[in-house]
């Protein structure tokens, strides 16, 4: 007989997965007076966290709480047994073929199932497609334990909405949605989140609805980016500056939300989440033609950027074959080192296929760079391709580039002052401008 969770001591919360979602949550839970324990499979990360030498926490308020807090990390899943609440924050990526990869999630659930007790509230924060809670997580948790969801233990889904580095929207003030297997689980989960965040909490009618909210949020972003990426490709033939047009449309104070074209959509959310919905719907017989088309358009931007480079070099009578091209940026967005699903890798592959001699530099990604400074990257490179709008690239001047022999600039993030470069005699090509 499994004992009831020990409920007569300070409430303990266990966070499974100490990444960009789990770690800030574990620190917040500690700050709010719970006993906070983080469980991760990475021994090195666990050691650094307990030694308080974790170099990747950059947000000052999180660092302060982390240093002074009593949060502990461990690789031992047994530490969840006497927790009242277990929050799952493990990655939910896709495979090369864009099929959802639920292995990290299933492994976490199997570890939890071995220690599940009556009274446990299990909360999933990782992004999944509708149906994963009902069809994957609950069978694992019930299957090996004989415990019944909604009666012996509770399952809720509160999709993460963290935006690392965002100073305005933080883990404490971002509104959340919560769905659960039943009313009792919903109430427990809402009570927990109300105790740690100040933002609105919207109860959803089911686990599936909560799963669908997160997928819809990020798919909404992907299709809107595809919309402006297609405009950028068409406007590049029409000789219209798409960024000026978007900024013109954005003066309309309602019913328009600006997105911006670029050399590709990277990250662990936007290019991934739509596939979770596309594949799930396919299993039940529905083809998301529009979402799939938007994905194809966004995936096309890397080839479009490489072709832009070939055409621009041709205009300067420089064959790309054997020409040194500097790719600036590997990270999927500015001022971070995260390269997951970054378009940079496919752009490099396409340029190499055209015969370019590619050098790569990203100040945040030294192991992926082929040179160790921006100067080294641009020196004797007739062309540069900006893939990430890091500040250091945005401060490049036409004079500096011309001095180093650069005569073609492909601005994959439309982040440079186009007219200054054109006036200086550089052949400037943006994405749609
Ligand atoms: N991108 C464009 N055009 C745009 C916006 C983004 O090409 O108009 C590209 C970026 O360059 C990047 C990719 O899309 O390669 C993703 O950019 P992102 O700003 O969406 O950044 P993410 O992936 O960190 O998205 C997160 C998401 N947050 C969560 O899932 C909790 C997303 O929902 C947020 O909208 C986004 O942050 C944000 O607004 O910053």
């Amino acid at each position: 007989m499994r004992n009831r969770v020990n409920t007569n001591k300070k409430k303990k919360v266990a966070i499974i997965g100490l990444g960009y979602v789990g770690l800030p949550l574990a620190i917040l839970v500690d700050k709010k007076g719970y006993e906070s324990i983080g469980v991760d499979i990475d021994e090195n990360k666990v050691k650094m966290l307990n030694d308080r030498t974790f170099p990747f926490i950059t947000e000052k308020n999180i660092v302060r709480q982390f240093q002074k807090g009593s949060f502990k990390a461990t690789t031992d899943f047994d530490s969840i047994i006497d927790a009242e609440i277990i929050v799952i924050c493990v990655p939910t990526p896709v495979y090369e073929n864009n099929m959802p990869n639920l292995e990290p999630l299933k492994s976490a659930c199997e570890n939890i199932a071995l220690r599940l007790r009556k009274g446990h509230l299990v909360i999933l924060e990782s992004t999944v497609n509708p149906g994963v809670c009902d069809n994957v997580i609950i069978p694992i948790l019930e299957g090996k334990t004989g415990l019944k969801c909604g009666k012996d233990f509770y399952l809720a889904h509160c999709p993460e909405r963290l935006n690392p580095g965002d100073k305005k929207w933080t883990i404490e003030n971002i509104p959340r949605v919560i769905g659960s297997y039943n009313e009792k689980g919903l109430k427990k989960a809402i009570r927990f989140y109300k105790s740690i965040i100040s933002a609105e909490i919207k109860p959803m009618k089911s686990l599936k609805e909560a799963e669908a909210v997160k997928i819809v949020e990020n798919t909404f972003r992907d299709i809107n980016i595809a919309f402006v990426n297609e405009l950028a490709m068409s406007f590049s033939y029409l000789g219209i500056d798409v960024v000026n047009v978007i900024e013109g449309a954005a003066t309309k104070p309602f019913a328009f939300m600006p997105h911006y074209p670029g050399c590709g959509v990277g990250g662990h959310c936007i290019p991934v989440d739509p596939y979770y919905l596309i594949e799930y719907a396919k299993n039940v017989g529905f083809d998301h033609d529009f979402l799939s088309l938007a994905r194809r358009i966004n995936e096309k931007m890397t080839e479009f950027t490489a072709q832009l480079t070939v055409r621009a070099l041709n205009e300067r009578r420089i064959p790309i074959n054997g020409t040194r091209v500097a790719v600036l940026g590997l990270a999927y967005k500015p001022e971070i080192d995260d390269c997951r699903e970054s378009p940079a890798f496919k752009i490099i592959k396409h340029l190499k296929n055209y015969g370019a001699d590619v050098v790569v530099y990203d100040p945040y990604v030294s192991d992926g760079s082929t040179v160790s400074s921006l100067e080294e990257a641009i020196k004797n490179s007739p062309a540069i391709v900006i893939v990430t709008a890091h500040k250091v690239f945005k401060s490049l001047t036409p004079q500096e580039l011309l001095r180093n022999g650069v005569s073609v600039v492909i601005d994959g993030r439309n982040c440079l002052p186009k007219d200054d470069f054109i006036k200086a005699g550089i052949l400037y090509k943006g994405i749609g401008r």
Side-chain angles (χ1 to χ4, degrees):
M1 179 66 175
R2 289 168 177 261
N3 307 320
R4 292 191 60 75
V5 169
N6 177 349
T7 52
N8 59 7
K9 69 182 179 54
K10 186 181 173 194
K11 281 188 182 170
K12 180 175 176 182
V13 177
I15 317 279
I16 318 283
L18 298 173
Y20 85 96
V21 176
L23 187 55
L25 179 62
I27 293 166
L28 175 65
V29 159
D30 171 59
K31 176 181 165 186
K32 296 292 178 181
Y34 290 91
E35 183 192 343
S36 173
I37 181 96
V39 184
D40 201 289
I41 55 173
D42 182 336
E43 278 180 37
N44 187 28
K45 176 183 274 194
V46 165
K47 185 174 178 329
M48 285 199 284
L49 284 168
N50 288 329
D51 298 346
R52 296 295 187 263
T53 58
F54 196 63
F56 306 118
I57 307 179
T58 50
E59 299 184 44
K60 290 203 177 27
N61 58 328
I62 292 186
V63 173
R64 262 195 309 279
Q65 180 59 31
F66 176 57
Q67 298 294 0
K68 71 174 197 231
S70 50
F71 152 77
K72 284 187 191 57
T74 178
T75 55
D76 180 5
F77 270 89
D78 283 347
S79 58
I80 72 173
I81 292 173
D82 63 343
E84 178 162 319
I85 297 168
I86 302 164
V87 190
I88 307 171
C89 301
V90 297
T92 48
V94 286
Y95 293 110
E96 269 297 298
N97 64 358
N98 295 317
M99 292 297 284
N101 172 1
L102 293 176
E103 288 318 309
L105 177 59
K106 287 179 186 170
S107 158
C109 292
E110 267 140 30
N111 271 305
I112 293 169
L114 293 172
R115 295 136 179 118
L116 199 61
R117 296 287 182 273
K118 278 185 177 263
H120 266 150
L121 168 61
V122 179
I123 298 171
L124 173 73
E125 283 218 359
S126 309
T127 304
V128 292
N129 57 271
V132 165
C133 285
D134 293 295
N135 307 326
V136 176
I137 296 180
I138 290 176
I140 293 174
L141 296 182
E142 285 186 336
K144 297 193 170 73
T145 63
L147 296 177
K148 193 84 192 75
C149 186
K151 178 171 160 293
D152 303 314
F153 70 92
Y154 303 92
L155 176 67
H157 179 43
C158 181
E160 63 89 3
R161 273 188 177 158
L162 265 185
N163 198 23
D166 193 325
K167 299 275 176 289
K168 178 170 180 242
W169 294 108
T170 68
I171 189 171
E172 290 189 66
N173 68 11
I174 293 174
R176 307 293 290 268
V177 299
I178 301 181
S180 184
Y181 182 79
N182 65 2
E183 197 54 31
K184 202 167 173 195
L186 183 63
K187 283 203 171 75
K188 283 173 171 287
I190 289 174
R191 196 163 44 246
F192 168 61
Y193 279 94
K194 277 193 183 319
S195 74
I196 60 169
I197 66 172
S198 54
E200 180 209 352
I201 295 171
K202 179 176 177 51
M204 304 309 290
K205 292 277 180 293
S206 66
L207 289 163
K208 271 189 180 172
E209 276 192 0
E211 292 164 329
V213 163
K214 177 63 189 287
I215 296 287
V216 163
E217 285 166 10
N218 284 353
T219 305
F220 171 84
R221 193 161 172 81
D222 195 50
I223 57 175
N224 277 282
I225 297 169
F227 169 54
V228 292
N229 277 340
E230 183 171 85
L231 287 179
M233 290 187 280
S234 116
F235 284 18
S236 65
Y237 290 99
L238 301 175
I240 301 171
D241 184 320
V242 74
V243 176
N244 290 346
V245 171
I246 291 165
E247 282 166 1
T251 58
K252 182 179 173 187
F254 49 84
F256 183 80
M257 183 191 269
H259 287 73
Y260 296 92
C263 57
V265 175
H268 46 278
C269 305
I270 311 305
V272 167
D273 295 354
Y275 287 119
Y276 269 76
L277 179 55
I278 291 166
E279 292 309 324
Y280 176 63
K282 214 179 276 177
N283 290 340
V284 292
F286 181 80
D287 284 334
H288 270 287
D289 299 340
F290 177 49
L291 304 189
S292 304
L293 174 62
R295 282 278 76 234
R296 281 202 302 279
I297 290 170
N298 286 335
E299 294 285 347
K300 208 189 305 185
M301 296 315 287
T302 56
E303 171 68 45
F304 175 80
T305 303
Q307 284 169 358
L308 207 54
T309 311
V310 174
R311 283 205 303 273
L313 283 166
N314 275 346
E315 261 186 64
R316 286 287 157 101
R317 301 195 186 296
I318 305 171
I320 188 156
N321 200 347
T323 295
R324 188 176 150 105
V325 175
V327 169
L328 303 183
L330 284 169
Y332 81 86
K333 68 181 194 180
E335 314 320 321
I336 62 169
D337 65 357
D338 191 339
C339 301
R340 282 176 289 184
E341 308 295 324
S342 170
F345 302 107
K346 285 195 178 141
I347 290 170
I348 291 165
K349 186 165 76 60
H350 291 312
L351 290 171
K352 285 184 175 171
N353 288 345
Y354 283 118
D357 165 21
V358 178
V359 289
V360 180
Y361 176 65
D362 186 316
Y364 292 86
V365 191
S366 49
D367 52 353
S369 302
T370 61
V371 290
S372 52
S373 74
L374 179 54
E375 293 61 38
E376 243 186 295
I378 61 177
K379 197 163 58 209
N380 308 323
S381 299
I384 66 166
V385 181
I386 295 186
V387 175
T388 315
H390 289 318
K391 284 195 200 85
V392 67
F393 301 149
K394 288 168 69 173
S395 53
L396 280 168
T397 64
Q399 293 67 29
E400 189 181 358
L401 291 180
L402 288 167
R403 240 192 346 268
N404 283 283
V406 179
S407 63
V408 168
V409 169
I410 307 297
D411 187 357
R413 293 297 173 199
N414 293 331
C415 63
L416 294 175
K418 171 177 89 170
D419 297 340
D420 298 355
F421 285 76
I422 293 170
K423 266 193 223 112
I426 280 179
L427 180 55
Y428 172 97
K429 295 277 181 198
I431 306 295
R433 70 192 291 243

